[in-house]
Amino acid sequence: MAKKREGIEHAKRVVGNSRATREELRDELRKLIDAYERRLDRSRRESSSGHGQPRAIRKIKVANGVYWVEIPEADLRILCGCPADVVKLLIKRGLIINAERGGVTFETGPNAILLSDVMIQNGQIANLAEFPVLQMLYRQGMLLPNHPNNTGAKPILIGLEEVLRAQSRYIYRGNYGLISEKEIEGAGVDRRRAAEMMRLKRRFAFDSIRTTEELIDLRIVDRDVVPLFENVFLHRFGVNRYEIIWKGQHVEIDLNLTPQEEYESSYRLGDHRIDKEYFSVVHIGEGDGWDVNRPCMASLLTYQDRFYLIDAGPKVMNSLMALGISINEIDGIFHTHAHDDHFAGLAALLRSDHRLTYYTTPLVRTSVTKKLSALMSIDESSFDKYFDVRDLAAEKWNDIDGLEVMPVYSPHPVETNIFRFRVRWRDGYRSYAHLADIASCSVLMNMVTDDPERSGLDHESFERTRSSYLIPADLKKIDIGGGLIHGDAEDFENDRSAKILLAHVERPLTEAQREIGSNASFGTQDVLIPSVRDTIVDEAFEYLHSYYAQAPAHELAALTNYPIQEFNAGTIMIRKGDKCDSVYLVIRGVVEALDVKSGLSVRMTAGSLVGETAGLEGDMSAMTYRTSSYVKALRIPLRHFADFIRRNDLYESMLSVHERIEFLRSNRLFDEAVSYQTLYAIAQTMVKVDLDAGAVIAEEVAGCIFLITAWSVRLYADDREFELLGEGDVCGEACMLMGDSKVISAVTASKTSGFTIPADSIESIPIVRWKLLELFNRRIRKLTTFVGLVWHDEYRLDNGVIDEQHRGLFETVKSVYAEAERGAVSEKIRPVLDLLRERIKHHFITEEEALQSIGYPELDSHRAAHEEAFDRLARFVERIGNESDRVEVQQLAFLKNWLVQHMLIEDAGFRAFVQQQ
């Protein structure tokens, strides 16, 4: 107790010292916390040894869908659940703290991660392990030479095989980006420059590009109970439901989010309002991947009446909501590189109802595409189905409707651009420079070598880089994170830019840094060229014209002449049960429509009409409309709106469309982020259909998806029913996604009603396409457990040689199953597996040659899928070969699942291309 009092008194002296810096105070508090933790740990050990009982498993709920499980006696600390910014949540909860051992300061934290079974929960990516792994390897020191935590043990990733495979590839691309001169050249870089870039990349990687498996221990959950550690076992008893068992003790972990839950953020941003200035920069991130109080470095550009993101960090949707901007108001993104603190929000942008324009160089796009495809387990060729790709010429001015941008290559472990923007104004230009993840001049200088055989960069490249960093701008935001891969403020001490903003740093600015540059709070706006007119009335007119195109322009203009009303976040616009005296057209921000009784909650973005149907019919509002952010809305008196509808004979059509919009909003395909404008367009293409029992959906509604409104539909594969669909379910997605629906057959079980939606009216909506792909993949995984190892004509690609090889692979896999059913041990079954591996290798070569001969445009990505599949097969054969007991049939499910999915999914694009030719 005396030591405790002494420590507290010392801390008080530091606090009382008016000259004490924040860093000194923080260090003293951390020392007190560390001392307290050590005493507590010693007390627990003494208590445990005194009773002869092992210490209990410790389980803590960190946040929604995230848990911490600690077994001190086994030296095991498991992070269960790994969504975006989870390291920040652990720091916030005190589960990662600073510690010291042997004079070395480091962070504590997990040494194992249990991943979610499912990639996406409630529209959010569930597994983003890049930063947690970096924290274990570097900030804890598990990879650093001569570090007390470098014991030879590797961080552990635990999960289903397909989940681990996706995370392994995503982490690999996050570490290195493009990994060969060939890949860099494939992105349009000439051979000499590609060699230079690869030399530099090797230097950042300490001359060793290592696979994820070399850095991390991957533990596949391929059976009910999996050993994790000495006396520690993992039992999986449902989707995302696990039990961790140790010496007779156990805890249960449920990683599922409830329908109302979202993954949490470590910080709160408040509510802000911004204006669409002619050319301005809104500051939406000045921190880094470890800053628990701020978003990662990013900006939002306003140009004329458009919004453009620069990078998309882990919680980009939270940032937009805090600004009162919906994702559907974003026109595009300029992307610097593929590290998670600038990349992790990219998947969230798929929740838009339109393809955002994606601006970067082909070099960065190729790197980002490979990482995003790995993370989301989608084909690389799908990238342009979710984004409208506009490649920028490197180191040249690119004109985007008057907004000029120059991307410049910047040294970094992965392919990276800095951006310079400019807009003409009066006698010249106004400019903004965004320098994310730059390297300091001292670090780069230490890498300079004129020996072309050594890793690093030559002196000319160093000078070119330094000069590009120091080009003046009216506003320049720079990364000053320090260390090996981030910038240093002192490099810009003599920079002649009018204003410098310091970013990408978690620690407070030093006095020297404060002399060099400014800092910005979230939501502040630097106006480079002001707007002289408010475009909000023009936007209102465009929304109304898209709904009522047949109405005279002067009548639409009359509607826009009513006042624009502003609402703070959290304001009720219309309460359930109230009479509507006005109709609101939302022009800025997000409104939530709520009905607690039915459990319905719908987000309404810019362009949405609120209160029009209830008002026209004289009914009380069926829902409460509440602002989720700052909102601007055009308030039209109900009487004027009703007169407008009647004069233009719009009443019946409006009610019909509104009924269909409400139906779409109640369906999971369209229940988030799809704007009123888009729903309105879809509703006009919908056709009500009534089908008799036994009707084959594909024949009745070809080229459409089918949304069931009443009764049921059965799904068949291999003439066996594997799923029964009911009201609100969807079928027909295979035809839209794969160009073929022969494998899954949908047949009405009784008289069935529903709506058809033409595939071409929704295939370009990213969030809908993604949900349909998720649905299709789930059904394919499900049907593989139903289908037998029997060849069907539905598997044919109409290529005699390849079809015959596929048929032969079926027979070989059947032989493997037969051996297992006879109770064969691994020694007996290994030769058959070796034969299967050779046949698959020969098949892949044949298939790739056939694809090349017909000019198949996705050959490279198809070849990459083959390489990955063959590696998986090799690991599977090796694992089976190491088994000493008999091989169980369920252990072979991977073979059948892979074979069926190879033909149904991977080769579907090949089949569609052949049919088109």
Side-chain angles (χ1 to χ4, degrees), residues 104 298 525 671 676 708 797:
V104 178
Q525 187 172 12
D671 64 355
Y676 189 93
I708 304 168
L797 298 178

Side-chain angles (χ1 to χ4, degrees), residues 17 59 87 128 214 246 393 423 443 542 551 708 713 733 809:
N17 182 359
K59 170 187 168 184
V87 170
L128 287 162
E214 292 178 84
W246 174 71
V423 174
V443 166
E542 289 301 318
I708 304 168
V713 171
E733 75 286 351
L809 292 177

Side-chain angles (χ1 to χ4, degrees), residues 704-716:
C704 297
I705 66 165
F706 186 61
L707 276 62
I708 304 168
T709 57
W711 306 108
S712 57
V713 171
R714 301 183 192 276
L715 297 185
Y716 292 90

Side-chain angles (χ1 to χ4, degrees), residues 47 87 101 120 323 334-335 413 415 446 474 517 558 600 668 715 793 807 815 868 870 882 887 891:
S47 174
V87 170
R101 188 184 309 139
I120 292 181
L323 297 172
F334 294 94
H335 207 183
E415 292 65 29
N446 287 332
D474 292 302
L600 191 63
R668 66 172 300 275
L715 297 185
D793 284 343
R807 198 178 282 115
S815 299
E868 183 194 336
F870 195 76
N882 291 334
V887 177
Q891 288 178 267

